[in-house]
Amino acid sequence: MALKKDLSINYLGVKFENPFCLSSSPVGSDYDMCAKALEAGWGGIVFKTIGIFIADEVSPRFDIVNKEGHPFVGFKNLEQISDKSVEANLKCIEKIKKNFPHKPMIASVMGSSPEEWKQLAEMVTQAGADIIECNFSCPQMTSHTMGSDVGTNLELVREYSRATSQATKLPVIAKMTPNLTNIEGPALAAIEGGAKSISAINTVKSITSVDTDLFCSVPVVDGKSAIGGYSGAAIKPIALRFIANLAQYDKLKGVEISGIGGIETWRDAVEFLLLGARNLQVTTGIMQYGYRIVEDMISGVSHYMDEKGFNSLEDFIGKALTNLTGADNLNRDYKAPVKINAEACIGCGRCYISCYDAAHQAIDWDGEKRRPAVSDRCVGCHLCLNVCPVQGVILPGEIEFKEGRTKRPVTIKTKYE
Amino acid sequence: MSTVNKAPYLEEAVQPFTPRTAMEEAARCLLCHEPPCSDSCPAGTNPGKFIRSIRFRNVKGAAETIREANVLGGVCARVCPTDKLCEEACSRTGIDRPIEIGRLQRFVTDQEKIFGMEILKKGPAKNKKIACVGSGPVSLACAAALAAAGYQVVIYEQKPEPGGVLTYGIIPSRLPKEVVEQEIGRIKKLGVEFKLGAKIGRDLSLEALKSQFDAVFLGLGLWGGKLPALEGIDLKGVYSAVDYLSQAKDSGGRELAAERAVIIGGGDVAMDCASTAKQLGAKTTIVYRRTLEDAPANAAEVKFVQSLGVGFIFQFTPSKILGKDGKVCGFEAKGTDGESELRLKADQVIFAIGQAPEEILLSEKLELTDKKLIKINDENHSTSLKGVFAAGDAVNGGKTVVQAVAEGKTAAFAIMSYLTGEAK
């Protein structure tokens, strides 16, 4: 029998059978889609953002970033919030809650005035949502009172969070934009305004590509384009950084975090959990591969927990935070020069090129035998290890302490895939 | 039930890459330091560099790399024994399988055509004329290099169409006619003149040629088919490989239909004969005197022939061809074990056991080797006749197209240094 661990978790006082949720986007924008997602195994839904403003979308509205023929490394969209009427969306939420009563429904909303936020909060509460997420961060909304600029304005975040929280008994999440230097300020403002949780990140403002024949960035809408939101695997590193910032910020201690940004695999999911997220949201992975990706997330996290002896997500949420410190606090007393397994080496010479052109000229190249050899110039930067195309050929060797430094045991990564 | 490849005779069998799949394949390339693939190309086509150009989205630059090194880049992309050259050297083999270099080269040369690129340019005119005898790969490469340097070049070809083995030998499934025409078209654009149906030694003497030109290049092929001295060898339906293949290509395959064909041999030419016979509808069997492992044919060609459903019988040597009313009706062979015997029904027996030069009647003064090949000075391709140079199959006894390209280029440079030396 396939292994399945208990992945259930309480988030904002609501029980989720697993932490995997659709994030507010086209992937959760009507009843049939949400029903299919929930049947596929998703733990909950953040419904596509509902507003008094009704979107009138452009065509086309997406672009992707490829890397050497590998598509969808990053994804740009120009979509706004829901293009359906409030009534239609509310009916949809009601129907989902009726047919899937144990699957939490998070209603994402966006208003353009305290009055609208209040109104929306009341309506989705009435419709049966379990949680409300305030969308302070959609880069495609163009007004100053809606969109990602709101998320950088402490006053507006506080005011809108308050208007929403005061209009409902439900817990409120504030969804943050990454288009700023420090996320802690707006996050704190949201909590001060009454929000109970922070979700991050929304999409990154971007231009993914420029059509070099049309002299226009992409997507091309009647010869013009606009800056849009970047998402997918490419933004995971940015998302993880903001999650860690939030989790390590003293003034936000105890505030629950929902992690968003480039989650495709169970490993991505575990990384977000290890940095303190207790709920996870996904869109781009679904846009590319469909709802079924949750199967391998559930299975993969289960196997990880089995390997590590964890019985609950609580056993490892935030477990990597204590090991995230300032660069000035890192141990600078030693180096880990590499060792090269010449027998397994296939002789491509990539390590030699990168070490010479970008590091310390510490690899000698035997052109006859087509084999590299590490010299004592190696500083242990591990550029070669990252460039080498063959698994396990270049690995960290013996630890060497710098002169005059005290020898002591150190922890280094030895397992590379 | 097993799947059999029904590739038609006149259609290219290998599917091309699309820009996207080409990029995927280029992304598999490790972009080696001092790429071993590049070191392994006789013609210096430099796959390490052109694949890197594909990877960095510079297909036009890739086309320049190929074309500047190899005027028959589109042909070699299709017919090179890559498994013994660049792909054998490929470092990626150490991980899983080599990069499909030949197919990537084909992608780039196809793109070159789509872009309408004219990479090779005629050099500043030089007041010297060179005649190239023969229009196969070696002559084409030599003529192109000379024309690119500004020399006036005339190619003399005894057959009605130019291209030699490309036109009259290699099967269309591997090398479509259009590709050969395109490559020759590029050489014509360089200003090379083609005189077709003109056989030197018959229509024009080598002496006359020498007097009209500042230098003469002999790029002759091996058009003498070898037939063993066997009982029944004169029966109708017995062919040498060169005759069989050129008749097939000449008629688009129409005149050579048979019920049961037996091919003798284990080289690329035998494979070409076998696929031709099979594609033209015959039940086809290859009989080879040694084992598959010993067979000199390119692995890709053997696989292709196998995929068509051609049968292989190893370690049998032909002993007799059976006939009826002057026509072939069967074939007998003896096992190399000294005991086994083989008797096959057949109405076609094709011997692909090597080619010989046609009797070279150009001049009594042209010195030949013991094997009746043209004798040259290895350093500068010069023959025993002053101002006459030679390279290719009639010198080396028959090698690959890419080898011919390489030799044609070096011969061109030898001719240039002869001509500039003479000018001093």
Side-chain angles (χ1 to χ4, degrees):
Chain A
M1 245 267 304
L3 178 75
K4 197 174 170 190
K5 286 279 198 181
D6 177 6
L7 303 187
S8 67
I9 185 152
N10 271 289
Y11 172 54
L12 290 171
V14 179
K15 188 181 177 186
F16 287 70
E17 69 178 58
N18 66 51
F20 307 115
C21 295
L22 311 187
S23 59
S24 83
S25 75
V27 302
S29 57
D30 76 10
Y31 177 81
D32 290 343
M33 295 172 89
C34 292
K36 184 179 173 192
L38 294 173
E39 279 157 9
W42 290 87
I45 302 238
V46 186
F47 198 76
K48 170 105 177 164
T49 304
I50 304 170
I52 306 299
F53 170 92
I54 307 290
D56 183 16
E57 298 290 1
V58 295
S59 167
R61 59 194 77 158
F62 305 132
D63 187 33
I64 56 170
V65 169
N66 298 319
K67 175 82 176 141
E68 294 110 308
H70 189 87
F72 253 96
V73 174
F75 181 73
K76 174 191 171 183
N77 84 87
L78 283 182
E79 269 209 18
Q80 302 186 322
I81 62 174
S82 178
D83 59 359
K84 296 188 183 70
S85 72
V86 177
E87 294 71 31
N89 282 323
L90 294 174
K91 268 192 190 152
C92 190
I93 288 177
E94 276 173 29
K95 190 172 170 191
I96 296 163
K97 275 316 291 183
K98 183 168 164 261
N99 293 339
F100 300 90
H102 302 298
K103 298 268 191 177
M105 162 59 69
I106 303 174
S108 172
V109 295
M110 182 189 290
S112 66
S113 66
E115 192 45 47
E116 281 189 12
W117 285 96
K118 177 174 177 284
Q119 211 183 328
L120 289 162
E122 285 167 352
M123 289 191 288
V124 298
T125 306
Q126 184 69 31
D130 298 290
I131 297 171
I132 296 175
E133 183 180 76
C134 296
N135 183 344
F136 295 141
S137 45
C138 171
Q140 287 78 251
M141 299 299 289
T142 45
S143 94
H144 290 296
T145 53
M146 288 193 288
S148 65
D149 288 350
V150 170
T152 62
N153 182 326
L154 304 190
E155 288 313 310
L156 281 179
V157 168
R158 194 178 292 113
E159 190 184 353
Y160 289 172
S161 297
R162 182 170 295 128
T164 311
S165 306
Q166 286 178 352
T168 181
K169 60 182 193 317
L170 303 178
V172 170
I173 310 167
K175 183 168 179 179
M176 295 290 117
T177 174
N179 300 303
L180 37 63
T181 319
N182 294 301
I183 201 166
E184 297 90 325
L188 188 58
I191 300 301
E192 285 167 0
K196 293 285 178 281
S197 169
I198 303 296
S199 59
I201 56 177
N202 205 318
T203 54
V204 181
K205 286 189 182 183
S206 68
I207 295 174
T208 37
S209 62
V210 178
D211 186 303
T212 51
D213 297 320
L214 295 172
F215 307 110
C216 180
S217 58
V218 187
V220 177
V221 180
D222 187 18
K224 301 272 190 286
S225 194
I227 286 170
Y230 195 43
S231 62
I235 70 155
K236 189 188 79 174
I238 299 168
L240 290 175
R241 169 248 166 159
F242 280 122
I243 296 298
N245 282 164
L246 290 167
Q248 288 190 324
Y249 188 44
D250 276 346
K251 292 180 182 168
L252 292 173
K253 256 211 164 71
V255 173
E256 298 185 351
I257 299 167
S258 176
I260 317 167
I263 300 172
E264 282 182 1
T265 70
W266 69 268
R267 192 180 288 267
D268 301 327
V270 168
E271 289 170 6
F272 275 81
L273 296 169
L274 289 171
L275 289 173
R278 55 189 300 115
N279 175 265
L280 303 168
Q281 301 185 30
V282 180
T283 282
T284 311
I286 298 169
M287 295 191 83
Q288 190 179 2
Y289 301 112
Y291 299 122
R292 59 195 173 157
I293 61 174
V294 77
E295 295 165 17
D296 286 301
M297 292 184 185
I298 293 168
S299 165
V301 173
S302 297
H303 282 288
Y304 172 74
M305 289 169 67
D306 192 50
E307 282 167 25
K308 297 291 170 196
F310 297 141
N311 292 313
S312 150
L313 299 184
E314 301 283 5
D315 291 352
F316 63 101
I317 286 174
K319 207 172 167 57
L321 285 168
T322 48
N323 294 326
L324 181 70
T325 182
D328 47 346
N329 286 330
L330 297 174
N331 182 349
R332 293 170 188 273
D333 291 344
Y334 74 94
K335 60 177 181 176
V338 295
K339 56 177 186 206
I340 299 179
N341 178 349
E343 271 180 32
C345 170
I346 58 165
C348 70
R350 288 286 294 277
C351 56
Y352 166 76
I353 294 177
S354 287
C355 186
Y356 197 97
D357 293 4
H360 296 82
Q361 301 78 49
I363 292 178
D364 300 321
W365 176 249
D366 182 338
E368 268 313 293
K369 294 183 183 151
R370 295 196 64 83
R371 285 295 176 274
V374 185
S375 78
D376 55 11
R377 293 173 62 96
C378 179
V379 300
C381 74
H382 293 189
L383 176 62
C384 56
L385 183 161
N386 288 297
V387 164
C388 177
V390 190
Q391 193 180 331
V393 164
I394 305 183
L395 288 170
E398 294 300 311
I399 299 295
E400 291 174 17
F401 279 83
K402 295 176 186 169
E403 218 177 306
R405 312 292 173 89
T406 316
K407 286 188 185 180
R408 59 190 189 280
V410 297
T411 304
I412 63 165
K413 181 176 166 71
T414 53
K415 215 174 88 184
Y416 290 88
E417 289 182 359
Chain B
M1 214 171 87
S2 191
T3 311
V4 170
N5 183 354
K6 308 265 187 196
Y9 175 64
L10 288 172
E11 274 175 34
E12 187 158 15
V14 176
Q15 290 303 303
F17 280 125
T18 65
R20 197 177 276 193
T21 55
M23 177 58 97
E24 284 168 5
E25 188 63 11
R28 289 183 61 242
C29 174
L30 304 175
L31 307 180
C32 291
H33 176 58
E34 295 167 354
C37 54
S38 294
D39 288 344
S40 308
C41 178
T45 312
N46 206 349
K49 184 163 164 55
F50 79 69
I51 297 172
R52 178 153 49 91
S53 292
I54 300 172
R55 159 68 183 79
F56 290 100
R57 295 181 180 267
N58 178 20
V59 176
K60 288 187 175 179
E64 288 168 343
T65 299
I66 294 169
R67 193 60 67 186
E68 280 165 10
N70 187 343
V71 70
L72 298 179
V75 167
C76 288
R78 291 164 167 88
V79 306
C80 248
T82 48
D83 62 326
K84 290 172 191 158
L85 298 168
C86 51
E87 290 177 16
E88 182 178 50
C90 177
S91 300
R92 178 88 209 193
T93 313
I95 297 177
D96 46 17
R97 59 186 196 282
I99 307 304
E100 290 188 60
I101 298 173
R103 250 177 108 200
L104 281 176
Q105 184 170 323
R106 175 176 159 195
F107 166 75
V108 173
T109 52
D110 286 352
Q111 292 289 309
E112 173 193 15
K113 178 176 169 268
I114 290 166
F115 291 134
M117 294 176 77
E118 287 184 21
I119 295 163
L120 301 177
K121 301 271 191 286
K122 193 173 168 57
K126 293 194 173 66
N127 192 25
K128 299 275 181 189
K129 288 169 69 180
I130 299 106
C132 292
V133 183
S135 68
V138 71
S139 260
L140 292 173
C142 180
L146 290 167
Y151 292 95
Q152 299 169 51
V153 186
V154 181
I155 286 182
Y156 289 86
E157 168 59 55
Q158 60 174 323
K159 292 207 153 86
E161 297 289 336
V165 69
L166 309 180
T167 303
Y168 292 98
I170 301 170
I171 57 171
S173 298
R174 285 171 64 200
L175 182 62
K177 198 173 175 214
E178 310 83 70
V179 175
V180 180
E181 285 169 355
Q182 283 152 20
E183 308 269 72
I184 290 174
R186 282 196 195 88
I187 295 165
K188 283 182 180 162
K189 276 205 168 163
L190 283 174
V192 173
E193 195 185 329
F194 286 78
K195 287 199 188 298
L196 304 173
K199 185 173 171 126
I200 304 304
R202 179 190 70 195
D203 304 320
L204 191 65
S205 73
L206 183 57
E207 285 306 314
L209 212 56
K210 272 183 69 185
S211 66
Q212 288 171 28
F213 290 86
D214 297 292
V216 174
F217 174 73
L218 303 177
L220 309 170
L222 303 175
W223 294 97
K226 279 186 189 166
L227 287 175
L230 282 183
E231 188 184 329
I233 201 75
D234 295 324
L235 290 164
K236 196 165 181 296
V238 176
Y239 295 88
S240 70
V242 279
D243 290 342
Y244 177 79
L245 290 174
S246 69
Q247 280 183 41
K249 287 199 78 171
D250 240 358
S251 68
R254 283 181 296 276
E255 288 166 17
L256 283 167
E259 244 179 71
R260 290 168 189 272
V262 175
I263 319 295
I264 320 300
D268 283 335
V269 177
M271 299 307 131
D272 274 1
C273 292
S275 41
T276 300
K278 182 71 188 174
Q279 288 175 310
L280 298 182
K283 294 184 180 76
T284 306
T285 308
I286 291 176
V287 178
Y288 182 49
R289 66 192 157 96
R290 293 192 283 179
T291 64
L292 180 60
E293 211 178 342
D294 299 322
N298 184 359
E301 302 321 319
V302 173
K303 262 192 204 150
F304 176 61
V305 168
Q306 286 172 331
S307 78
L308 295 172
V310 168
F312 283 76
I313 297 173
F314 295 107
Q315 297 183 296
F316 275 89
T317 315
S319 51
K320 191 200 264 188
I321 298 160
L322 311 172
K324 197 179 170 191
D325 305 329
K327 288 184 196 161
V328 175
C329 68
F331 168 84
E332 284 183 4
K334 285 199 158 45
T336 52
D337 58 10
E339 277 184 33
S340 306
E341 289 189 5
L342 176 71
R343 184 176 173 154
L344 294 171
K345 188 176 169 187
D347 53 344
Q348 235 171 27
V349 176
I350 301 150
F351 286 90
I353 53 171
Q355 292 116 264
E358 282 182 296
E359 212 177 327
I360 296 171
L361 295 168
L362 298 178
S363 161
E364 284 174 5
K365 290 178 197 154
L366 185 67
E367 209 178 318
L368 302 182
T369 66
D370 305 341
K371 293 179 177 170
K372 303 289 179 200
L373 297 167
I374 301 170
K375 191 171 180 181
I376 61 162
N377 176 338
D378 286 336
E379 273 165 32
N380 61 9
H381 289 274
S382 60
T383 65
S384 56
L385 296 172
K386 188 173 161 53
V388 178
F389 298 78
D393 285 1
V395 173
N396 64 32
K399 294 214 165 110
T400 56
V401 173
V402 70
Q403 179 65 28
V405 170
E407 290 184 17
K409 279 193 332 185
T410 54
F413 291 115
I415 292 168
M416 288 182 225
S417 61
Y418 164 77
L419 291 174
T420 48
E422 198 185 56
K424 273 175 203 165

